[in-house]
């Protein structure tokens, strides 16, 4: 196992050696960065419902009520006018001492990562809570890195590989979290511990998403801006769940046109419906996007999938991926080399469907929330070899860094057209701190059918 040190905590990332070997230079170079928490919080504003200025005033009021004069700054970026950023608190991690007299709550690593990004702790994420912990009591919150803490543990969990995340206030007691009677209601929901402060310095706001604004990673907002959807167009979102990019497209189109959103999971589609309900231009289909092209069809298709060739003005292929750009990675020991190597195969299959579905002159954006060259630059190189009718376009607005060098498959000029979010000094916006992400923009030549 490999244990890189980070500014916030020590043994924070567990990765098996074969995973490192499978991903060449990119992953090994970025491991320390992956352990750290992106400190900027971003909300995408639904400008069809509210002005950015009004939403900003609401955010500022919320922050002032919680932090008073120490409230973090709220600001925007010219390149993404529908987005607002919340700066981190002006508190260093080492300024948060551990009070050993407080009782402890243990959470799993997934919950811990969300906590460090400003979330509160919901009931399913609580692995253990000490006996006699009272409502409103302050507790130390730790993440269980090795995953050995038994759910419902009532005594203090002793482990050298648990890490301190912050201090919270109890909202649910043990008897609410861990029901002994099988006939009782299913697992509880709701906030179990409301965080007061965390070691990352990200404001502990929870998720303020509603119909007016959505908590969303900055690169995902950039991705839809790169696609550039226009009112009246017919657009395909090949892998739409959870629907955040889908609704962003609808907003940029003024809810005029057609967005066809595909996902092969009925459960994911159901989860999207409340988010999509306020948009008339979105139609959803449970369908495997690797079968979306009907090769025998002719002309544009307005029916259900599969679709005829040249059916869409723009296509977003936000592909299934290894997700290794998600930060912080508190514990990532489940993705074996064999699993990681399977993603490029899926991504190629999806790309092979997308290209014939795109009309001549149309725009195709490929994106992933990962950092491996195999799923990013190498996938782009394969696409250009396989489909000569495609050419790379500049993925603007450009807030991230260029693609990684990939000689001889991609030239330096081609890499400059790509956009990669990572720990690079070449990011166009100073101090940009985001999840890992990759964006490539293609145009289909008009003269080739």
């Amino acid at each position: 196992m490999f244990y890189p040190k980070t500014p916030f905590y020590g043994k924070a990332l567990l990765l098996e050696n074969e995973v490192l070997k499978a991903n060449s230079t990119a992953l090994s170079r970025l491991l320390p960065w992956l352990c750290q928490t992106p400190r900027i919080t971003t909300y995408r504003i639904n400008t069809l419902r509210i002005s950015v200025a009004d939403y900003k005033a609401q955010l500022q009021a919320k922050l002032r009520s919680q932090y008073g004069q120490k409230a973090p700054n709220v600001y925007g970026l010219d390149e993404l006018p529908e987005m607002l950023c919340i700066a981190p608190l002006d508190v260093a991690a080492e300024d948060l001492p551990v009070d050993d007299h407080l009782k402890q709550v243990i959470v799993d690593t997934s919950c811990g990562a969300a906590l460090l990004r400003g979330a509160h702790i919901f009931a399913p994420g609580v692995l253990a809570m000490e006996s006699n912990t009272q409502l409103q009591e302050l507790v130390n919150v730790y993440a269980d890195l090795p995953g050995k803490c038994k759910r419902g543990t009532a005594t203090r969990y002793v482990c050298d590989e648990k890490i301190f995340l912050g201090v919270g206030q109890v909202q649910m007691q043990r008897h609410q979290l861990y029901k002994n009677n099988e006939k009782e209601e299913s697992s509880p929901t709701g906030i179990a511990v409301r965080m007061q402060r965390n070691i990352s310095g990200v404001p502990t706001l929870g998720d303020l998403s509603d119909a007016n604004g959505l908590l969303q990673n900055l690169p995902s907002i950039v991705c839809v801006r790169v696609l550039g959807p226009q009112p009246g167009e017919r657009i395909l979102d090949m892998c739409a769940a959870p629907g955040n990019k889908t609704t962003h497209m609808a907003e940029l189109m003024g809810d005029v046109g057609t967005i066809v959103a595909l996902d092969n999971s009925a459960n994911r589609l159901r989860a999207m419906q409340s988010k999509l309900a306020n948009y008339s231009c979105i139609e959803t289909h449970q369908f495997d996007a690797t079968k979306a092209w009907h090769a025998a069809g002719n002309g544009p298709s307005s029916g259900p999938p599969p679709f005829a060739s040249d059916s869409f003005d723009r296509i977003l292929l936000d592909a299934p991926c290894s997700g290794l750009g998600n930060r912080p990675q508190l514990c990532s020991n489940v993705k074996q080399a064999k699993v990681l190597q399977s993603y490029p195969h899926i991504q190629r299959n999806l790309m092979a469907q997308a290209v014939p579905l795109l009309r001549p002159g149309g725009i195709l954006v490929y994106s992933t929330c990962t950092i491996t060259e195999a799923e990013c630059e190498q996938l782009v190189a394969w696409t250009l070899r396989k489909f000569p009718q495609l050419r790379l376009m500049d993925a603007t607005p450009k807030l991230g860094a260029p693609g990684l060098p990939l000689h001889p498959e991609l030239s330096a000029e081609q890499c400059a057209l790509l956009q990669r979010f990572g720990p690079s000094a070449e990011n166009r916006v100073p101090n940009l701190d985001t999840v890992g992400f990759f964006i490539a923009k293609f145009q289909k030549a008009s003269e080739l059918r």
Side-chain angles (χ1 to χ4, degrees), residues 222-342:
V222 173
C223 179
V224 173
R225 276 286 176 177
V226 171
L227 182 68
Q230 301 297 311
E233 290 184 328
R234 181 170 174 81
I235 298 176
L236 176 63
D237 189 350
M238 293 187 75
C239 307
N244 297 340
K245 297 181 184 70
T246 317
T247 57
H248 190 192
M249 286 188 276
E251 290 161 19
L252 293 181
M253 295 167 68
D255 204 16
V256 177
T258 302
I259 299 172
V260 179
L262 304 183
D263 201 275
N264 62 2
S265 166
N267 289 336
R268 288 197 295 264
L269 277 181
R270 279 193 295 270
M272 290 169 55
Q273 293 310 311
S274 61
K275 192 178 297 182
L276 307 184
N278 295 324
Y279 304 89
S280 61
C281 73
I282 301 172
E283 62 179 64
T284 61
H285 300 277
Q286 182 191 348
F287 198 80
D288 181 357
T290 63
K291 302 174 183 177
W293 175 43
H294 183 14
N298 293 307
S301 169
S302 58
F307 305 108
S309 300
D310 305 343
S311 289
F312 296 96
D313 299 298
R314 298 175 198 261
I315 296 176
L316 175 61
L317 174 47
D318 186 44
C321 68
S322 56
L324 291 175
N326 293 321
R327 303 168 61 212
Q329 294 268 349
L330 297 187
C331 181
S332 183
N333 60 356
V334 295
K335 287 187 169 68
Q336 307 297 325
K338 195 179 300 183
V339 176
L340 288 170
Q341 291 167 356
S342 70

Side-chain angles (χ1 to χ4, degrees), residues 44-328:
R44 194 194 84 229
I45 316 310
N46 183 351
T47 54
L48 299 181
R49 295 177 55 93
I50 190 172
S51 71
V52 174
D54 286 345
Y55 195 88
K56 181 178 180 179
Q58 294 177 12
L59 266 184
Q60 289 173 321
K62 172 71 175 177
L63 289 165
R64 283 194 298 268
S65 69
Q66 185 167 339
Y67 294 104
Q69 293 183 346
K70 296 182 178 180
N73 184 36
V74 178
Y75 62 97
L77 296 176
D78 292 340
E79 296 90 344
L80 302 172
E82 69 275 30
M83 185 189 74
L84 287 172
C85 304
I86 304 175
L89 299 170
D90 189 20
V91 178
E94 56 268 21
D95 293 336
L96 185 57
V98 180
D99 183 353
D100 288 328
H101 294 96
L102 298 181
K103 294 189 181 73
Q104 295 183 7
V105 163
I106 309 297
V107 300
D108 58 31
T109 53
S110 176
C111 177
L115 180 161
L116 290 172
R117 299 212 50 192
H120 299 301
I121 304 174
F122 285 78
V126 181
L127 292 178
M129 177 183 285
E130 292 188 61
S131 297
N132 301 316
T133 303
Q134 303 300 310
L135 289 175
Q136 308 305 317
E137 183 176 353
L138 293 180
V139 291
N140 288 330
V141 179
Y142 287 82
D144 172 35
L145 296 188
K148 295 179 180 179
C149 181
K150 185 177 180 181
R151 184 170 182 82
T153 297
T155 57
R156 179 161 294 200
Y157 175 56
V158 178
C159 175
D160 291 337
E161 292 178 352
K162 67 182 181 184
I163 57 171
F164 176 65
L165 301 179
V167 175
Q169 188 176 52
V170 174
Q171 307 294 305
M172 289 186 185
Q173 292 180 282
R174 284 189 54 80
H175 69 88
Q176 297 171 280
L177 294 170
Y178 312 114
K179 297 179 181 295
N180 296 321
N181 187 344
E182 293 183 358
K183 295 182 180 180
E184 292 190 58
E185 295 180 1
S186 58
S187 300
T189 59
I191 296 175
V193 179
R194 187 173 294 276
M195 294 302 297
Q196 303 299 298
R197 54 192 187 273
N198 60 48
I199 63 170
S200 69
V202 175
T204 55
L205 293 172
D207 186 351
L208 304 179
S209 296
D210 57 21
N212 292 332
L214 180 71
L215 180 67
Q216 189 173 10
N217 288 319
L218 183 148
S220 294
I221 301 173
V222 173
C223 179
V224 173
R225 276 286 176 177
V226 171
L227 182 68
Q230 301 297 311
E233 290 184 328
R234 181 170 174 81
I235 298 176
L236 176 63
D237 189 350
M238 293 187 75
C239 307
N244 297 340
K245 297 181 184 70
T246 317
T247 57
H248 190 192
M249 286 188 276
E251 290 161 19
L252 293 181
M253 295 167 68
D255 204 16
V256 177
T258 302
I259 299 172
V260 179
L262 304 183
D263 201 275
N264 62 2
S265 166
N267 289 336
R268 288 197 295 264
L269 277 181
R270 279 193 295 270
M272 290 169 55
Q273 293 310 311
S274 61
K275 192 178 297 182
L276 307 184
N278 295 324
Y279 304 89
S280 61
C281 73
I282 301 172
E283 62 179 64
T284 61
H285 300 277
Q286 182 191 348
F287 198 80
D288 181 357
T290 63
K291 302 174 183 177
W293 175 43
H294 183 14
N298 293 307
S301 169
S302 58
F307 305 108
S309 300
D310 305 343
S311 289
F312 296 96
D313 299 298
R314 298 175 198 261
I315 296 176
L316 175 61
L317 174 47
D318 186 44
C321 68
S322 56
L324 291 175
N326 293 321
R327 303 168 61 212

